[in-house]
Amino acid sequence: MTDAMKLFALADADDAQGLLAALSDKPSHAVRSETGETIFLYSLYRGKTKCAAALQGHGELSLHEAAAAGDLARVGACIAAAPWTTQSLSADGWTALHLAAFLGRDTVVVRLLELGADARQWGRAFETNLPIHAACAGGRLGNAAFARLIAAFYLVDGPQHASW
């Protein structure tokens, strides 16, 4: 079993203490699954709340991790360091705007739009969708942030790639 597999097994067990001890000083975005998903996003997506919380406090999150976590300060720092990343995709095919919209991170959605994130950029994950579709699928985004996303998208009935 590889070191990464051991770390993902700890995440599956939601063993935050064991995971942090095994990570030592390595940032969470340095540990990835064979598909490229970071251990933080892996934990967050699968409801491993203890591990997600511990990893969020462990060290510097990547832009996509910070957007998913709702860490507004870290999102700002990541984009200040590399402004082009507003359009970059995570290993699993989402922009930071997709992740923040899906998970209902209102302040992050608004800030990403202010910093130039493109509401018309397609994700390349299994859904091949736009951030507005991610917001609708997640059902967690507040009205004000959703209105900002609609205004930035300007095409309320835009279909997903599969015409949904």
Side-chain angles (χ1 to χ4, degrees):
M1 181 181 282
T2 67
D3 287 342
M5 289 174 68
K6 290 176 187 172
L7 294 171
F8 281 94
L10 290 167
D12 281 332
D14 208 11
D15 180 357
Q17 206 169 24
L19 182 57
L20 289 181
L23 271 174
S24 184
D25 61 350
K26 189 182 296 187
S28 66
H29 57 83
V31 179
R32 296 179 180 262
S33 69
E34 55 193 34
T35 62
E37 187 176 56
T38 69
I39 196 159
F40 173 78
L41 290 176
Y42 179 91
S43 298
L44 187 67
Y45 293 164
R46 288 160 183 82
K48 306 304 181 183
T49 55
K50 292 176 192 169
C51 284
L55 290 167
Q56 187 172 350
H58 175 67
E60 294 185 345
L61 299 176
S62 70
L63 172 61
H64 295 93
E65 291 173 326
D71 187 339
L72 188 60
R74 182 66 186 150
V75 166
C78 289
I79 293 175
W84 57 268
T85 58
T86 59
Q87 305 315 104
S88 68
L89 298 174
S90 63
D92 54 350
W94 307 112
T95 65
L97 187 57
H98 278 87
L99 292 167
F102 178 77
L103 293 165
R105 309 305 190 197
D106 293 41
T107 57
V108 173
V109 167
V110 170
R111 187 67 181 133
L112 285 167
L113 291 170
E114 291 170 350
L115 293 170
D118 185 356
R120 295 168 306 231
Q121 182 176 350
W122 291 91
R124 292 191 177 83
F126 60 93
E127 289 286 328
T128 314
N129 65 11
L130 295 162
I132 197 164
H133 300 130
C136 291
R140 302 176 192 131
L141 197 60
N143 290 339
F146 192 69
R148 294 284 299 266
L149 190 56
I150 290 171
F153 180 60
Y154 73 80
L155 222 148
V156 177
D157 63 349
Q160 286 183 233
H161 184 68
S163 299
W164 293 99

